[in-house]
Amino acid sequence: MKAPQPIDRFEIRLSGLGGQGLITLGRLLGSALALGHGYYVTQTQSYGPEARGGSSRADVVVSSRPISYPKTESLDLLVALSPEACNSYYRLLKKTGILLVDTTLVKHAPTNVYLGLPFTQMAREQIGNPMTINTMVMGAVTHLLPFADPKVMRKSLEANLPAKIREVNAKAFALGLKQAQRNFGDAGGIWAAAEENGQHSEDDIIV
Amino acid sequence: MAVQRKKRKRRELFALGNEAVAEGALLAGCSFYAGYPITPSTEIMEVMANRLPLIEDGVFIQMEDEIASMGATIGASLAGRKAMTATSGPGFALMQEHIGYACMVEAPLVVVNVMRGGPSTGLPTSPAQADVQMARWGTHGDHPIIVLSASNVQECLEMTVTAFNFAEKYRTPVILLLDEVTAHTREKISVPDPDEVEILSRVEPTVPPEWFKPYADTARGVPAMAPIGSGYRTHVTGLTHDVMGYPTQRPDEVKDAMLRLFRKIDQYYGDIQMSDEYLLDDAEVAVVAYGSVARSAHLAVEQARERGAKAGLLTLKTLFPFPRPAVEKLTHRCHTVVVPEMNMGQMSREVKRVNNGRTKVRTINRVDGQIITPSEILKAIL
């Protein structure tokens, strides 16, 4: 295991609808960062009493130091897989944070500075299984996290899934990663741009 | 012949608080679980259902409700097992009568209550800390009880082991109070090797069966316990009983029995009352917190220090018997004590009682199903 790149409280929120597998995504992502990369990670969840539908979210905090508060307060990365989630949590995003949406479902993002891929459509048409949306998002998120090693993430993902769904999810992960690389460009560049964009809007008040 | 000992590594897991509770229970030697699933405690039951059948003599039963769960747990305990059940508010309410029975017959066992919003069905998937006084006083009659809590996932494992140790050492039910946030947070934990952990078990009689008095007083106040079926005659009743375990109304015997129940816990307060101090040596404002809110408070104290405020944190790991010495010290030294909790003031009531008007006690109360954030606590500190 390489020594992890130092980071101080990187906050991720994975949000959308119940049934999209967001809490599983949080678990897979957290497990890969904690056990695969050696970071301190807390993953918390919030969901309604419904089995499907309703809102659902998982928060992941990553740090090189022990984490006290396990939930998120200001987000570095917001993943929104439903318009409601996007609208409710956008205001919690740091000025220098990044918004990633599912463009199949989120037609009108509350900002024009965001990254998007049609995850639902890709899962349905290219993988043939809409339930793989979460692992596909994990692929895209892996590309966006400058401290995540795609190989380690993939290995951890495969280790955490039961055999009968391993292959299809590995395929979805690879597709998410590839499309993110192709469409978003280099991760370093994305964060540099977000940083610059954040500085320009220093005077704006985000309530 | 030299025996080469294989060095076993600690197991690392990315686990839920609930899963850590189950790991801790198995580590402590729990071999019996009876329960009824309820959000947000269900994962404890799921892990026990998977793991107990794999260990020798391990028994897992899903009961018809929480009343029966508690009854089965007491039965297993009296038969010599280390036994546990887990539930949430509504189930914990149903268990109360049997918890009193367990206090009376001095059955060592562990009850985990993962607190969710209440009263009644309330908010099944949201956190609260509103069962604190219920854990202390939920069952009727004057009784001592040990109530523990945990604020992070590693602590869930450790405090479960501690809960079993206290239960066995003091022959008492021990309640482990978690909240939904702690129970449903995943973190990296390391599961120690069983050899590395101190595990206590109940004292069994050393006298021949015909001399055995099942509720005889001892120096520690804790009678030796013979598992039912071991050849030692034992009588179990919820009625106040004499040293032989048979009902009595003789005032002298009733008094002895009741006072021994209290004394076996009272005289070991120093061992039982656990708390963690953080930056309290020079603190002028102290936060007293427990469970997941202690984690918010930890960050708030760090942020307050960055801004030059002399803040500190006392995390209560034992809720009852209330860690009076640790809290009393703060009320002498600090100008303000802040008590954040997800209820309308159940623990601040204890802090105020100990404070006795000495210093200012500020409460932060939240009952909307959301955890108290670091910024809310920071505002109260500054």
Side-chain angles (χ1 to χ4, degrees):
Chain A
M1 200 192 301
K2 276 192 299 183
Q5 180 186 332
I7 36 172
D8 188 23
R9 269 198 95 87
F10 187 94
E11 302 190 349
I12 307 168
R13 173 163 290 181
L14 310 158
S15 60
L17 302 168
Q20 281 177 326
L22 288 155
I23 292 168
T24 306
L25 170 59
R27 178 169 65 86
L28 295 171
L29 196 64
S31 174
L33 291 168
L35 301 179
H37 291 76
Y39 284 113
Y40 288 96
V41 178
T42 59
Q43 180 251 312
T44 56
Q45 46 194 290
S46 175
Y47 56 96
E50 310 92 341
R52 271 169 295 279
S55 72
S56 171
R57 66 172 200 250
D59 287 354
V60 181
V61 182
V62 192
S63 182
S64 314
R65 296 197 303 136
I67 298 164
S68 47
Y69 184 54
K71 297 217 170 211
T72 57
E73 277 203 300
S74 56
L75 305 168
D76 292 278
L77 174 63
L78 171 62
V79 177
L81 304 185
S82 78
E84 296 81 7
C86 192
N87 293 335
S88 332
Y89 305 133
Y90 171 68
R91 64 189 181 83
L92 301 176
L93 199 61
K94 274 185 192 161
K95 280 180 205 168
T96 54
I98 289 180
L99 171 65
L100 172 66
V101 302
D102 176 0
T103 49
T104 319
L105 298 172
V106 182
K107 297 289 185 202
H108 305 283
T111 166
N112 53 5
V113 190
Y114 68 92
L115 301 172
L117 281 175
F119 292 112
T120 305
Q121 192 188 344
M122 280 156 59
R124 205 176 287 139
E125 290 169 9
Q126 294 182 48
I127 304 290
N129 184 344
M131 278 161 73
T132 59
I133 179 170
N134 54 354
T135 41
M136 191 180 291
V137 170
M138 183 164 164
V141 168
T142 298
H143 174 65
L144 289 177
L145 299 179
F147 45 83
D149 179 346
K151 273 202 217 96
V152 177
M153 298 296 273
R154 190 195 169 108
K155 232 173 90 188
S156 169
L157 171 75
E158 289 177 0
N160 274 303
L161 290 175
K164 63 177 182 185
I165 57 166
R166 198 173 291 149
E167 200 183 324
V168 65
N169 280 289
K171 217 169 113 191
F173 176 85
L175 181 67
L177 183 66
K178 195 177 83 187
Q179 289 299 328
Q181 284 164 341
R182 188 173 296 165
N183 290 286
F184 303 159
D186 168 52
I190 302 168
W191 288 100
E195 189 74 37
E196 198 179 323
N197 179 47
Q199 249 133 47
H200 281 308
S201 59
E202 197 67 33
D203 301 332
D204 300 352
I205 296 164
I206 298 174
V207 191
Chain B
M1 194 180 75
V3 181
Q4 195 138 33
R5 282 196 64 183
K6 217 170 115 189
K7 204 177 167 199
R8 272 181 289 182
K9 260 180 73 180
R10 287 176 144 237
R11 255 187 323 138
E12 285 212 325
L13 298 173
F14 188 63
L16 281 176
N18 278 339
E19 290 162 357
V21 166
E23 290 289 344
L26 293 166
L27 199 61
C30 172
S31 65
F32 183 93
Y33 184 102
Y36 188 81
I38 180 169
T39 304
S41 75
T42 307
E43 293 86 356
I44 299 175
M45 191 165 173
E46 284 173 354
V47 176
M48 295 311 267
N50 278 326
R51 299 278 291 279
L52 275 177
L54 304 177
I55 68 173
E56 205 191 335
D57 292 333
V59 176
F60 171 90
I61 316 176
Q62 171 162 343
M63 302 301 291
E64 67 267 34
D65 59 31
E66 287 86 350
I67 300 175
S69 305
M70 195 64 215
T73 307
I74 294 171
S77 169
L78 294 173
R81 296 301 186 96
K82 290 192 178 182
M84 178 171 85
T85 187
T87 187
S88 184
F92 194 53
L94 292 179
M95 289 179 180
Q96 289 308 325
E97 185 185 359
H98 272 155
I99 290 175
Y101 189 86
C103 289
M104 193 52 142
V105 305
E106 298 172 70
L109 52 89
V110 175
V111 182
V112 185
N113 174 12
V114 183
M115 292 181 282
R116 67 188 214 184
S120 190
T121 318
L123 301 165
T125 58
S126 304
Q129 296 178 311
D131 303 348
V132 172
Q133 292 291 349
M134 184 198 192
R136 175 64 190 90
W137 296 114
T139 193
H140 64 275
D142 222 352
H143 63 283
I145 200 157
I146 299 174
V147 183
L148 306 176
S149 91
S151 59
N152 61 45
V153 179
Q154 185 73 38
E155 242 177 58
C156 284
L157 185 149
E158 291 163 6
M159 292 311 281
T160 307
V161 175
T162 307
F164 271 99
N165 283 349
F166 283 170
E168 295 287 321
K169 189 172 175 187
Y170 300 112
R171 268 193 78 171
T172 177
V174 175
I175 290 160
L176 178 62
L177 273 188
L178 305 177
D179 54 71
E180 189 271 342
V181 175
T182 310
H184 280 168
T185 294
R186 277 195 177 84
E187 270 178 309
K188 183 165 62 181
I189 58 163
S190 69
V191 182
D193 200 77
D195 308 341
E196 295 174 54
V197 189
E198 191 195 19
I199 308 287
L200 303 177
S201 296
R202 62 198 69 171
V203 174
E204 294 196 12
T206 50
V207 296
E210 59 274 22
W211 294 3
F212 180 56
K213 291 180 181 168
Y215 290 94
D217 198 357
T218 63
R220 288 204 298 125
V222 182
M225 191 171 175
I228 288 177
S230 64
Y232 285 83
R233 192 185 41 79
T234 305
H235 187 260
V236 178
T237 173
L239 288 165
T240 307
H241 39 263
D242 59 15
V243 290
M244 298 309 287
Y246 291 106
T248 179
Q249 282 192 301
R250 266 175 54 183
D252 55 333
E253 285 181 344
V254 172
K255 186 179 150 201
D256 283 354
M258 287 303 291
L259 292 184
R260 183 179 59 72
L261 273 190
F262 277 87
R263 180 165 59 83
K264 72 174 180 181
I265 307 284
D266 287 357
Q267 64 187 1
Y268 293 99
Y269 273 7
D271 178 41
I272 300 169
Q273 292 170 337
M274 300 163 71
S275 57
D276 277 343
E277 297 194 352
Y278 175 62
L279 302 178
L280 278 176
D281 288 337
D282 63 338
E284 291 167 0
V285 182
V287 184
V288 177
Y290 54 96
S292 61
V293 175
R295 302 186 69 161
S296 307
H298 194 279
L299 185 58
V301 164
E302 263 178 31
Q303 290 169 345
R305 286 271 169 179
E306 279 166 25
R307 299 188 191 187
K310 285 191 174 163
L313 169 67
L314 181 74
T315 303
L316 305 179
K317 294 163 97 173
T318 303
L319 302 183
F320 295 102
F322 186 69
R324 183 178 188 123
V327 175
E328 203 159 32
K329 212 166 65 185
L330 303 179
T331 64
H332 283 285
R333 283 205 317 237
C334 304
H335 64 68
T336 308
V337 175
V338 182
V339 189
E341 51 187 340
M342 292 186 277
N343 58 50
M344 288 309 284
Q346 298 195 10
M347 216 47 176
S348 60
R349 180 191 297 256
E350 300 295 323
V351 175
K352 284 174 180 165
R353 178 174 63 81
V354 167
N355 180 45
N356 203 8
R358 214 171 285 121
T359 191
K360 189 160 72 183
V361 177
R362 292 189 68 165
T363 60
I364 304 173
N365 305 108
R366 210 168 163 173
V367 286
D368 59 352
Q370 302 295 312
I371 185 174
I372 297 174
T373 61
S375 41
E376 284 173 87
I377 301 171
L378 183 64
K379 221 162 73 188
I381 294 174
L382 297 176

